């Protein structure tokens, strides 16, 4: 049977690498991102070159009906969705309370929290019918501790973590595996960290900590844990785990 | 100097009792709730009978500008706000994912999370100017673990908890004490639990566990901890604590 | 009725200040510490000068039967123990795994963990008989996150925290309030921090952060929260809270 | 190069299954357990039948020098230890404070906590020299929340969890991966759960929840996650994860 992996937030980082990893394992992979049609096509082409199957969509998941229609169309046109990788972040950099607008606060929540709820609301009945499915949520340490300047981000992803636990409590017995993945550290990802830092600072960071040194989380290595989670036997599921580079301090260390 | 205590969510439960306790200690208390003008007037009258000073407002904190105007007017007409008690909950009872509408999911967040952000956004600069202030947030165990059926509630208050940590990180050094109070158990509160259960089931619970038995959290006893938090010396502030009846299991126990 | 407060670890810091605070509230206070007879006598004299009643014991709580006999004798000779303040720490400074001897690792556990178990084992039946009692445990952030160099300390106090939760689950319904107090930061305490840092570094720290600035936790302010915990009504008990100076970062912040 | 996997606590459950899984992947596996020479030999024989290499030791890890000598001899006689699976538990069933002897309390700590410290103390310098190694620690929810009757167990494994975090902080940058694995639920393991429940109750549980239903954690499925952890790339290591059967409630749910 066709197995589909749907990736929301398929940039050149975790999302794209996870999609490629699932494609290498035989999943038909549907890659979605908000911008960069060209980058998206490059990813699809790379997967096809490697013998996999994929397609891409440029879409804004926060728009009404977009997630809902995507799921319906994918199920109808591509095949049964086995795994959704929810990789939408809401990191907007550090801003004081005063500098965080109501609009920014709400937008973070719409992207990171409400979108996941809409996704689960739409796909849970479909997966429950089949008694199988995975919802893998990329998250950050802001989901377990707030920091100065992280008001909007922490509120959004902290709410999402509790949503994941709530979804897990209802959906796991129906055969749907919800996993919350705490990525604790800088990821070697040009489309997110690269844009946040700017090209020069990002390159400097890569040279200092990444590349030979494995001091940045490598997306293609992260992807190994995503596929492991999707393939865990239902008698031994992981709901939450952390990921960080060996040389990095855990968030709880001082 | 006049010290004002502003209570958002001043029903016959934690909010009202905390307001009354602060009034007994000499704070001018401003009680706000969404409905029940009569109940509100009764509270104000009771405080005045006991020698305290208070006033009340019926308002919907989720409406645009309501929280913002309330703070400005209170500061102008009553006096400097020393303590805000944020007592807005978002418990809507247990609902499956399918039975939780997008509207309900969003409404919980608007009440419990966005309202606190708007409050902090408005009052933090005022309190920071004075180098003193307390923001006491009533919360629930849904802020630290999701349960089946609690999708909207857990997402809202889980996000709020991370917001509180983020606010604390920025505001504590400015002299503003943000405390997150985990009320872990049934409160002897007719306006919240009473309405959720209905009058008969609530009375039955009171007879079985409450009254003589102290098996429900008593709001006037909870209030003692709120005023303790507001009066902790800044060299020894508590950011988070739990409260439960002695005979009740902690949420983490099985 | 006579109410006794028994303090284990009554140095010039949290232990001594808490004892003095309880004495000021009318408790007969029994102060115990391992060394410094002179310092102990000074504390007792100070309490008596302030109109309180107290006595002191020099003892090593890790020795066989010492805690057990202390409780029996105090109950017999002084009066019913209402509150025990367990203030024995096991901080030995940072040491690598290689530099932490088996003996040091075991000693930390004997002081911080086993002593509390022995205490609870002895006093719980006595307090349960009366249906009332408090066991207040001073702890540290090493109880909730391990750090490099903290192998022995974190293992000891982390085990103690789980012991406190286990004790609470069994003893709270019997009327015994077990509270775990996370002191997150440097305390202005010559007998502990002072000895760890040495007199010069300690004085420097006091001048930079303490004194006028309230940047160190002041023991006499901490004591206010201990007595609040001991006097919480049983319908609204706190099991765990944190304490830190307003200007200090919470342990979870970076 | 020869890669050795050393299992402490290699019963017919997690320990044995993990050993067998590593052997299937080419590791030379050294299985250690306290009793049941015959069972141990059966395991070794099974591994050899499947084309793997293994040997077994009957030993009591709490005895002086036993862990230390085991490591030295294994390194000398078998090869470099790549992965240690620390699978010693300290579950003694539920006992009230009064029914938990000092001896039992100490024994749990010697097995679960001190043994891991001794192991780490001995093997960390060896692994650090090579810049590679895994220490995988099987744990239980008692490591993150105490329950009534779990005084000895929770104190031991709670301390161990903080030890793991402390070890991770020091050892991860040296290339040693310390992982803490929270097994949250009943494992289909005759040597542990089977003995705790007795053969009849265990068989009943297996029929009701296990076998066809995957309602017990299956050790050979758990083993897949252990080997995944051991083979994660150092740029993306997991320090902690949970494992439970899909149909089971997470420990934090009510």
């Amino acid at each position: 049977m066709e197995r589909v992996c749907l990736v929301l937030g398929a940039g050149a980082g975790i999302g794209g690498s996870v999609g490629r990893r699932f494609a290498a394992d035989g999943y038909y992979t549907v890659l979605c991102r908000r911008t960069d049609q060209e980058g998206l096509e490059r990813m699809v082409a790379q997967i096809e070159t490697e013998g996999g199957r994929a397609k891409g969509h440029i879409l804004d998941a926060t728009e009404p009906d977009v997630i809902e229609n995507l799921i319906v169309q994918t199920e109808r046109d591509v095949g049964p969705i086995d795994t959704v990788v929810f990789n939408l972040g809401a990191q907007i950099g550090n801003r004081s309370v005063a500098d965080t607008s109501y609009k920014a606060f709400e937008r973070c929540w719409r992207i990171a929290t409400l979108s996941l709820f809409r996704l689960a609301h739409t796909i849970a009945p479909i997966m429950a019918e089949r008694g199988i499915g995975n919802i893998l949520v990329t998250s950050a340490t802001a989901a377990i501790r707030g920091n100065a300047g992280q008001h909007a981000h922490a509120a959004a992803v902290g709410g999402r973590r509790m949503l994941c636990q709530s979804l897990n409590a209802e959906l796991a017995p129906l055969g749907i595996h919800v996993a919350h993945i705490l990525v604790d550290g800088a990821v070697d990802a040009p489309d997110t960290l690269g844009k946040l830092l700017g090209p020069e600072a990002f390159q400097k960071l890569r040279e200092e900590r990444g590349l030979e040194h494995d001091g940045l989380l490598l997306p293609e290595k992260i992807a190994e844990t995503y596929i492991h989670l999707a393939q865990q036997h239902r008698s031994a599921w992981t709901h939450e785990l952390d990921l960080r580079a060996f040389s990095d301090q855990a968030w709880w260390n001082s």
Side-chain angles (χ1 to χ4, degrees), chain A residues 15 18 86 107 120 165 168 172 178 180 187 192 198-199 202 208:
Chain A
V18 170
F86 186 89
R107 181 148 179 78
Q165 290 193 3
N168 176 67
V178 180
H180 186 257
V187 179
T192 47
F202 180 56
E208 281 170 13

Side-chain angles (χ1 to χ4, degrees), chain A residues 160-172:
Chain A
R160 185 172 67 187
R161 181 169 178 254
M162 288 302 101
L163 174 59
C164 286
Q165 290 193 3
S166 187
L167 291 171
N168 176 67
E170 180 176 329
L171 302 180

Side-chain angles (χ1 to χ4, degrees), chain A residues 32-222:
Chain A
C32 307
R33 55 186 301 178
R34 198 165 56 84
T35 57
D36 192 3
Q37 178 77 46
E38 203 186 333
L40 183 61
E41 284 169 11
R42 241 185 348 255
M43 278 183 191
V44 169
Q46 185 187 29
I47 288 173
E48 289 172 343
T49 304
E50 294 169 355
R53 286 162 312 145
K55 64 190 284 191
H57 297 290
I58 294 290
L59 53 81
D60 181 348
T62 64
E63 290 296 314
D65 298 326
V66 166
I67 287 181
E68 295 78 358
N69 290 341
L70 173 68
I71 291 166
V72 171
Q73 287 164 15
T74 303
E75 287 273 333
R76 187 190 59 207
D77 301 341
V78 187
I81 300 169
D82 177 84
T83 298
V84 181
V85 177
F86 186 89
N87 194 48
L88 301 181
Q91 184 54 276
I92 54 171
N94 281 335
R95 299 185 192 179
S96 69
V97 183
D99 289 342
T100 307
S101 68
Y102 293 1
K103 199 176 150 190
F105 190 84
E106 176 160 347
R107 181 148 179 78
C108 282
W109 172 79
R110 289 202 175 276
I111 295 170
T113 320
L114 182 62
S115 296
L116 176 62
F117 178 71
R118 289 168 50 202
L119 168 82
H121 193 271
T122 310
I123 208 163
I126 299 170
M127 288 179 164
E129 181 87 9
R130 292 193 287 259
I132 195 164
N134 297 287
I135 302 175
L136 309 182
V137 179
T138 305
S139 194
T141 57
I144 27 177
R145 59 89 186 253
N147 262 337
Q150 289 285 303
H151 310 285
H153 184 227
V157 298
R160 185 172 67 187
R161 181 169 178 254
M162 288 302 101
L163 174 59
C164 286
Q165 290 193 3
S166 187
L167 291 171
N168 176 67
E170 180 176 329
L171 302 180
L174 308 177
I176 304 170
H177 183 184
V178 180
H180 186 257
I181 302 157
L182 284 160
V183 180
D184 179 17
V187 179
D188 188 20
D191 274 353
T192 47
L193 187 62
K195 283 178 184 161
L196 206 67
L197 296 178
E200 278 180 44
F202 180 56
Q203 188 53 27
K204 188 151 169 280
L205 182 71
R206 291 195 76 201
E207 280 163 18
E208 281 170 13
R209 291 179 43 191
L211 303 171
E212 300 298 305
H213 310 298
D214 303 330
L216 299 177
L217 286 134
L218 300 176
E220 68 271 22
K221 305 305 184 183
I222 291 176

